[in-house]
Amino acid sequence: MLWAGSYEDIWSIPDDVLLHHAQLVFNAVYNDLDITAQHISEWCSNFGSTGLVIIMDFLSRNSDMNPVELAKSLLVDWAFLFENLNNPSPLTTYRSPFVLQLFGTAHLNAIIGYVEVRSFDMHTLATSGMLWPLALSAAVIECAITMIADGELRLWDVLSSASRGRVSIRLPKVLNKVTGKETNILFLFLAALWLKPTNPFIKSLLGKPTGYLKTTVQMVHATLNDVTETLLDSLDDDESEDDKCAMISPASA
């Protein structure tokens, strides 16, 4: 706006002049890739924190059951991935309330109003180009449930903080023997820790029938507002990985 205000005819800035100066501004603002990398890092971090809230909310709504035992049951045969937790079917993999809610809240909400980039096929990206975000959603939910099942996070500690007026999810810390300080880095949703566990979900999704991913994304779009409001109201080796993912593998699709 500083430049536009000084242009000789603010009512009639030629498109080529505007495009040239817009590119100059973009280059000045984003010339450091660290800024873009930071935005992507924050996007990934939002997946992690939102996933924890979703699982905490589910466990609190089932207070008649032991949260640790309930979390462990969700991990059996990948139950947390299926639309019907009690009747898993390969035809409904990645369509569980947990995965769809996280995918809609952390990703689809983040790309609403995206800018049309002529050199990209934006329609394809916005429909079927969702492989990694959906796989990330599955991995995050697994991570959150595992932390509860392993006793690294305690539901009642979180609910106790909520009763004091503010929800606080504090990740556990361990001693870093190198620095001598406590750190929670081992419990963060980071590529170094969760890239390998995410890969089986990628492989599984790639093996799904044509149109499966696109239909799944459309399902989330259809309920995106409801999903968002619900959330806001509540607060090894490759071979072994393939064996563990038998229920969600291409052969089961």
Side-chain angles (χ1 to χ4, degrees), residues 114-122:
Y114 59 80
V115 176
E116 290 286 347
V117 180
R118 295 179 182 178
S119 57
F120 295 164
D121 184 348
M122 301 302 291

Side-chain angles (χ1 to χ4, degrees), residues 106-163:
H107 185 59
L108 294 188
N109 267 342
I111 62 173
I112 289 176
Y114 59 80
V115 176
E116 290 286 347
V117 180
R118 295 179 182 178
S119 57
F120 295 164
D121 184 348
M122 301 302 291
H123 177 70
T124 299
L125 292 179
T127 53
S128 57
M130 297 286 181
L131 182 69
W132 267 98
L134 191 58
L136 278 178
S137 298
V140 166
I141 293 299
E142 181 187 18
C143 175
I145 296 173
T146 300
M147 293 180 72
I148 300 293
D150 291 347
E152 294 163 348
L153 276 179
R154 290 185 286 271
L155 173 65
W156 305 121
D157 291 344
V158 176
L159 294 181
S160 177
S161 71
S163 68

Side-chain angles (χ1 to χ4, degrees), residues 197-251:
T198 303
N199 286 336
F201 297 126
I202 292 289
K203 182 177 180 180
S204 166
L205 282 165
L206 286 173
K208 289 297 180 184
T210 302
Y212 188 88
L213 180 60
K214 183 176 180 179
T215 301
T216 303
V217 173
Q218 290 173 339
M219 290 172 59
V220 183
H221 273 295
T223 60
L224 187 56
N225 290 336
D226 293 338
V227 165
T228 305
E229 291 170 3
T230 299
L231 179 60
L232 294 176
D233 288 341
S234 64
L235 168 199
D236 356 77
D237 58 276
D238 294 338
E239 182 179 356
S240 64
E241 287 294 334
D242 290 343
D243 289 341
K244 290 195 299 180
C245 287
M247 275 295 290
I248 59 171
S249 67

Side-chain angles (χ1 to χ4, degrees), residues 51-65:
L52 280 173
V53 172
I54 288 172
I55 294 303
M56 288 292 187
D57 178 64
F58 171 77
L59 296 175
S60 68
R61 293 174 185 269
N62 291 272
S63 57
D64 57 322
M65 301 183 65

Side-chain angles (χ1 to χ4, degrees), residues 17 50 53-54 56 66 74 83 86 131 157 161 177 180 189 250:
V17 174
T50 304
V53 172
I54 288 172
M56 288 292 187
N66 181 293
L74 291 174
E83 184 175 7
N86 298 313
L131 182 69
D157 291 344
S161 71
K177 295 181 180 180
F189 190 72

